[in-house]
Amino acid sequence: MGWPPPTVDELRARLGSTLFLRVAGPSGEANRARIHGTPGPRWFGPDSPIRTVHGDASMFAGGLAALLVQSLHPLAMAAVSAHSGFRGDPWGRLQRTSTFLAVTTFGTAEDARQAVERVRAVHERVRGRTPDGRAYHAADPHLLGWVHVAEVDCFLRAHRRYGAHPLDRAGYDGYVADAARIAEELGVERPPRSVEELAERVEAYRTELRSTPACRETARFLLLRPPIPWQARAPYALLSAGAVALLPPWAYGPLGLPAFPGPVSAGARAGGRLATGAIRWAMAPPPPVRTTAVQGLPSA
């Protein structure tokens, strides 16, 4: 006699656990308990916009888009290629990044400050030269500024398009201002504090962006050759299409990507919504268990 097929809730739990392990790593459960369960003051309150954005499944698409856009800065790309190990250990890099975002967004102020100090110490050590001889230093406030605005812009774009509960303009202004708090702690000078300032800052960096072999190879690696099992290829293709649909039009050519015509762009956005919705469903907490009434007490 065969085993009974898994229930929908069991399938969701399995998928959610697999996703969480990939994103948060083997220490994810312990980190989550510490981040959310440790008492103490936080940088951001429960209703802050940054908690709404960073707690949404749209971050999966936004994070992928951010990696693509960030790679267009030759100095940032050189630092990542030489020091981050993202090709040899892409999941490790993702886990470290996701943990940092979780700690600074949801953790105690003390834990957030310690996380920032660790990242600043790493940045201080990352120095080198690009293939054409230009010096870079990961702690350079200007370079940190590019990484910050590219990331926040992509997270904002993703939440607007795929978020469960998109914010209004004031809410997204609040998100940019919240993110500026973390950016300042990391060493970014005068980070943008509104959607308008964010757009202006991204535009100001465009003269420094270049199409390089490294950024085009990064795009191929992330979109066509990701280190994932074959069973996840189709869902990942939907997610990556949704991420590409988030890119500003000026980013396609330098990354070696064809611009999406209207119908293809609409299909990519639909794929992004489908993939993000599936992630949201899988990682949602299970419904409360209904219990039988005991000794005259009503059921839960």
Side-chain angles (χ1 to χ4, degrees):
M1 184 175 179
W3 292 101
T7 67
V8 172
D9 285 341
E10 288 171 340
L11 285 172
R12 177 168 62 181
R14 290 179 192 175
L15 180 56
S17 295
T18 300
L19 283 170
F20 184 75
L21 179 62
R22 282 289 191 179
V23 173
S27 301
E29 290 291 350
N31 287 336
R32 179 161 62 182
R34 187 191 78 249
I35 290 167
H36 295 279
T38 303
R42 265 83 175 154
W43 282 354
F44 307 106
D47 298 324
S48 57
I50 197 170
R51 287 195 169 205
T52 299
V53 175
H54 287 182
D56 190 85
S58 61
M59 290 284 285
F60 283 79
L64 184 53
L67 291 175
L68 293 169
V69 175
Q70 288 169 344
S71 75
L72 289 172
H73 198 295
L75 301 185
M77 188 67 251
V80 169
S81 295
H83 300 275
S84 77
F86 83 100
R87 291 186 193 280
D89 184 24
W91 291 110
R93 182 170 186 251
L94 172 63
Q95 290 155 13
R96 291 188 294 273
T97 300
S98 66
T99 299
F100 176 81
L101 287 170
V103 170
T104 51
T105 303
F106 301 100
T108 65
E110 181 59 28
D111 280 351
R113 192 164 290 108
Q114 290 178 8
V116 165
E117 289 174 356
R118 287 192 293 271
V119 170
R120 292 192 71 148
V122 171
H123 285 169
E124 190 59 41
R125 297 192 297 269
V126 175
R127 301 169 183 263
R129 290 188 177 275
T130 63
D132 61 1
R134 286 187 293 166
Y136 63 79
H137 183 198
D140 172 16
H142 183 74
L143 191 57
L144 285 170
W146 163 248
V147 173
H148 170 70
V149 298
E151 181 179 86
V152 171
D153 183 59
C154 288
F155 288 165
L156 193 154
R157 287 170 180 264
H159 195 267
R160 273 178 166 163
R161 185 163 290 168
Y162 307 132
H165 304 289
L167 304 175
D168 58 15
R169 178 58 181 265
Y172 285 122
D173 280 340
Y175 168 62
V176 177
D178 285 347
R181 165 71 189 275
I182 301 173
E184 285 184 325
E185 296 283 347
L186 285 169
V188 177
E189 296 177 351
R190 297 178 293 102
R193 297 184 176 277
S194 69
V195 172
E196 182 178 4
E197 289 182 9
L198 176 65
E200 291 173 351
R201 198 67 58 85
V202 171
E203 185 66 23
Y205 274 101
R206 283 189 58 190
T207 59
E208 303 174 30
L209 308 184
R210 298 285 185 274
S211 178
T212 63
C215 81
R216 294 191 297 273
E217 176 55 31
T218 294
R220 288 191 292 270
F221 175 77
L222 292 173
L223 301 177
L224 301 178
R225 300 193 297 271
I228 57 176
W230 66 266
Q231 301 95 324
R233 294 279 171 162
Y236 185 85
L238 293 176
L239 180 68
S240 61
V244 171
L246 296 172
L247 299 177
W250 48 260
Y252 286 91
L255 287 167
L257 302 174
F260 284 172
V264 176
S265 181
R269 292 194 298 270
R273 284 191 292 271
L274 180 61
T276 303
I279 293 169
R280 185 177 295 115
W281 173 80
M283 301 191 76
V289 177
R290 296 187 63 82
T291 58
T292 304
V294 178
Q295 296 181 348
L297 294 176
S299 60

